[in-house]
């Protein structure tokens, strides 16, 4: 029997999960399995804290903070933990994006993987989602100055790894 | 020609419509987590009262009698920043033991945050690890699925084979192995072979400051029940 919280959460998942998976894919440097794990972890935490989420003045900001915290928690992945039975994982085809494959994408994925998670998150929020420095700082729980320095260092590192590729000449 | 923004957007993949089954599974996970949290909060209150009254089983590494026997709850309420190098005292655990594992003794000042068929998770009472599940961070982390700054007991994952090399230790007459994985800065894992052929694992976060002897002492009070299940990943 579902209650009001369940119904609200279910509707939220149906409308927002796809976007969360895309964000999580970037935050995990293109690892679809880790991204799914991250989304599941985020949504679980969100359900537990649902009343707080509903009361939040900035729900998107709240969601980003939960996502970043869950990402940081992934540090403990070596700590073997319970996961749901594999039967729970939907057997669905993954949509193929041409930009997600090829030598350039592989290079970018490898370069992203070398970034610390929070630095990667700063880059993703600033350059993919066009968040301003203040909102990115709020998501990461750090100062605006840290966001600027982390983003700059992330770009420097990406340039160092893939800067030779002419298609990425105008970052 | 594409720029970085387009390349990153491409790496994120094409949006795929969420199915009802996926949303149902997310909801089930959320409900399960909330149910466990409420059960732990209920059990923690009674466990705390019992632990305070429990007779202490002294186990003091410093060997200094003045360091011994702090009552449960006397440990400072910070997890990662609260190393227990001064004293380490196990007290009888008489709280709820419903599932895959049971435990004879827990450290004074610690609480059992969750026991199910897959894991047993303990943490200092009121601990606020940096990676708390709470988005704003400054609340006690009672999430039994978060192991930062805590001790977790479970069976070895089905995706991990064998026992890594490490320090050989005796755990209640069994040949255990205490492993510090190369490059890992988070903690150590004690592997204890079980009659089923699957290793019991006791994972101890480095910041809590347990010595090898203390890990072994705690592990000797762990029992794997027949309904315990190994996880994945």
């Amino acid at each position: 029997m579902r209650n009001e919280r369940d119904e609200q959460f279910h509707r939220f998942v149906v409308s927002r999960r796809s976007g969360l998976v895309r964000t999580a894919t970037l935050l995990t440097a293109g690892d679809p399995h880790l991204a799914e794990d991250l989304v599941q972890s985020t949504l679980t935490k969100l359900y537990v804290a649902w009343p707080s989420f509903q009361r939040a003045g900035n729900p998107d900001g709240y969601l980003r903070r939960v996502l970043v915290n869950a990402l940081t928690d992934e540090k403990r992945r070596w700590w073997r933990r319970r996961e749901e039975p594999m039967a729970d994982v939907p057997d669905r085809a993954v949509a193929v994006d041409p930009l997600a494959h090829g030598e350039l994408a592989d290079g970018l994925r490898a370069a992203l993987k070398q970034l610390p998670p929070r630095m990667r998150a700063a880059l993703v929020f600033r350059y993919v989602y066009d968040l301003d420095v203040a909102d990115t700082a709020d998501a990461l729980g750090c100062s605006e100055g840290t966001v600027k320095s982390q983003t700059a260092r992330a770009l420097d590192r990406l340039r160092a790894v893939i800067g030779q590729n002419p298609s990425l000449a105008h970052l | 020609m594409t720029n970085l923004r387009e390349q990153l957007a491409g790496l994120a993949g094409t949006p795929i419509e969420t199915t009802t089954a996926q949303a149902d599974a997310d909801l089930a996970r959320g409900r399960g987590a909330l149910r466990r949290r409420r059960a732990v909060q209920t059990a923690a209150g009674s466990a705390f009262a019992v632990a305070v009254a429990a007779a202490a089983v002294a186990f003091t590494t410093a060997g200094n009698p003045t360091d011994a026997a702090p009552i449960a709850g006397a440990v400072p309420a910070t997890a990662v920043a609260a190393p227990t190098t001064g004293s380490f005292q196990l007290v009888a655990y008489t709280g709820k033991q419903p599932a895959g594992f049971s435990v004879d003794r827990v450290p004074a000042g610690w609480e059992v945050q969750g026991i199910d068929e897959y894991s047993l998770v303990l943490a200092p009472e009121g601990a606020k690890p940096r990676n708390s599940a709470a988005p704003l961070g400054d609340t006690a982390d009672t999430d039994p699925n978060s192991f930062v700054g805590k001790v977790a007991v479970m069976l070895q994952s089905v995706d991990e084979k064998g026992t890594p090399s490490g320090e050989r230790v005796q755990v209640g007459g069994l040949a255990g192995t205490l492993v510090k994985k190369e490059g890992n800065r988070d903690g150590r894992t004690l592997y204890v072979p079980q009659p089923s052929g699957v290793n019991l694992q006791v994972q101890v976060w480095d910041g809590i400051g347990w010595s090898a002897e203390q890990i072994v002492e705690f592990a000797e009070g762990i029992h794997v029940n027949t309904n315990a299940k190994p996880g994945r990943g």
Side-chain angles (χ1 to χ4, degrees):
Chain A
M1 182 69 72
R2 287 184 187 172
N3 56 30
E4 185 180 351
R5 180 195 198 126
D6 295 347
E7 294 294 348
Q8 290 173 349
F9 178 79
H10 199 273
R11 283 197 297 274
F12 175 86
V13 171
V14 169
S15 66
R16 300 293 297 273
R17 194 181 209 285
S18 177
L20 272 176
V21 169
R22 296 188 78 235
T23 305
T25 301
L26 289 173
L27 294 179
T28 58
D31 184 328
H33 301 293
L34 205 52
E36 173 64 23
D37 201 22
L38 182 57
V39 168
Q40 289 185 12
S41 178
T42 298
L43 290 174
T44 298
K45 289 171 180 176
L46 206 61
Y47 179 87
V48 171
W50 191 252
S52 301
F53 176 60
Q54 293 291 82
R55 289 195 303 269
N58 178 4
D60 286 337
Y62 190 105
L63 180 59
R64 283 191 290 268
R65 289 195 295 273
V66 177
L67 191 60
V68 170
N69 281 345
L71 173 70
T72 311
D73 280 352
E74 290 302 327
K75 262 187 66 177
R76 62 174 164 72
R77 274 188 64 79
W78 73 272
W79 294 66
R80 304 297 173 192
R81 67 189 177 104
R82 175 174 67 84
E83 292 187 359
E84 299 298 328
M86 296 303 286
D88 284 353
V89 179
D91 185 16
R92 307 180 64 211
V94 176
V96 175
D97 188 311
L99 286 177
H101 296 273
E103 188 178 338
L104 184 56
D106 290 343
L108 185 58
R109 198 177 285 115
L112 273 179
K113 201 169 186 176
Q114 290 179 20
L115 300 179
R118 295 171 68 80
M119 187 183 288
R120 197 185 306 139
L123 181 77
V124 168
F125 288 143
R126 292 280 289 124
Y127 281 89
V128 180
Y129 292 102
D130 285 329
L131 288 192
D132 60 25
V133 173
D135 282 344
T136 305
D138 178 64
L140 297 177
C142 64
S143 70
E144 295 185 14
T146 301
V147 169
K148 291 176 185 173
S149 62
Q150 291 275 297
T151 308
R153 288 172 62 192
L155 287 172
D156 284 345
R157 290 207 195 179
L158 288 191
R159 286 193 186 101
V161 175
I162 57 177
Q164 302 304 317
N165 194 311
S167 66
L168 292 174
H170 43 93
L171 296 181
Chain B
M1 187 168 288
T2 57
N3 61 18
L4 176 64
R5 189 191 310 270
E6 290 166 336
Q7 281 293 325
L8 287 170
L11 208 61
T14 304
I16 303 174
E17 190 176 346
T18 302
T19 66
T20 302
Q22 280 178 308
D24 288 345
D26 287 324
L27 177 59
R29 274 186 287 271
R31 291 178 70 161
L34 183 61
R35 193 167 51 246
R36 285 193 295 277
R37 168 166 288 201
R38 285 173 174 164
V40 166
Q41 286 171 340
T42 302
S46 58
F48 175 77
V50 171
V52 169
V57 179
F59 177 69
T60 307
T61 53
N64 180 350
T66 59
D67 286 338
I71 62 169
V75 173
T78 52
V80 179
T84 54
T85 50
S87 66
F88 176 89
Q89 175 192 348
L90 293 173
V91 298
Y93 175 70
T94 54
K96 192 177 181 184
Q97 307 215 58
F101 304 86
S102 55
V103 54
D104 293 339
R105 294 174 294 168
V106 298
W110 284 58
E111 64 184 1
V112 173
Q113 296 193 329
I115 306 181
D116 62 18
E117 295 159 327
Y118 296 91
S119 64
L120 160 66
V121 178
L122 302 97
E125 291 166 4
K128 300 173 183 176
R130 184 173 58 83
N131 292 330
S132 168
L136 298 178
D138 194 32
T139 55
D141 179 3
T142 56
D143 180 0
N145 292 315
S146 172
F147 300 160
V148 177
K150 303 179 185 179
V151 171
V153 176
M154 61 196 70
L155 291 177
Q156 188 170 10
S157 165
V158 296
D159 296 323
E160 184 188 33
K161 306 298 180 190
T163 304
S165 58
E167 179 186 352
R168 302 302 297 269
V169 293
Q170 282 294 312
V171 184
L174 298 171
T177 308
L178 187 58
V179 177
K180 180 69 174 175
K181 294 183 180 177
E182 186 177 354
N184 182 276
R185 293 180 297 175
D186 292 335
R188 289 170 293 173
T189 302
L190 174 63
Y191 291 73
V192 185
Q194 298 297 301
S196 64
V198 178
N199 279 318
L200 168 70
Q201 288 184 331
V202 179
Q203 301 178 336
V204 181
W205 196 259
D206 274 346
I208 65 175
W210 287 16
S211 68
E213 291 76 17
Q214 290 165 342
I215 295 171
V216 169
E217 180 80 2
F218 168 70
E220 287 177 336
I222 301 293
H223 306 283
V224 179
N225 301 327
T226 54
N227 56 340
K229 296 178 181 175
R232 301 191 68 92

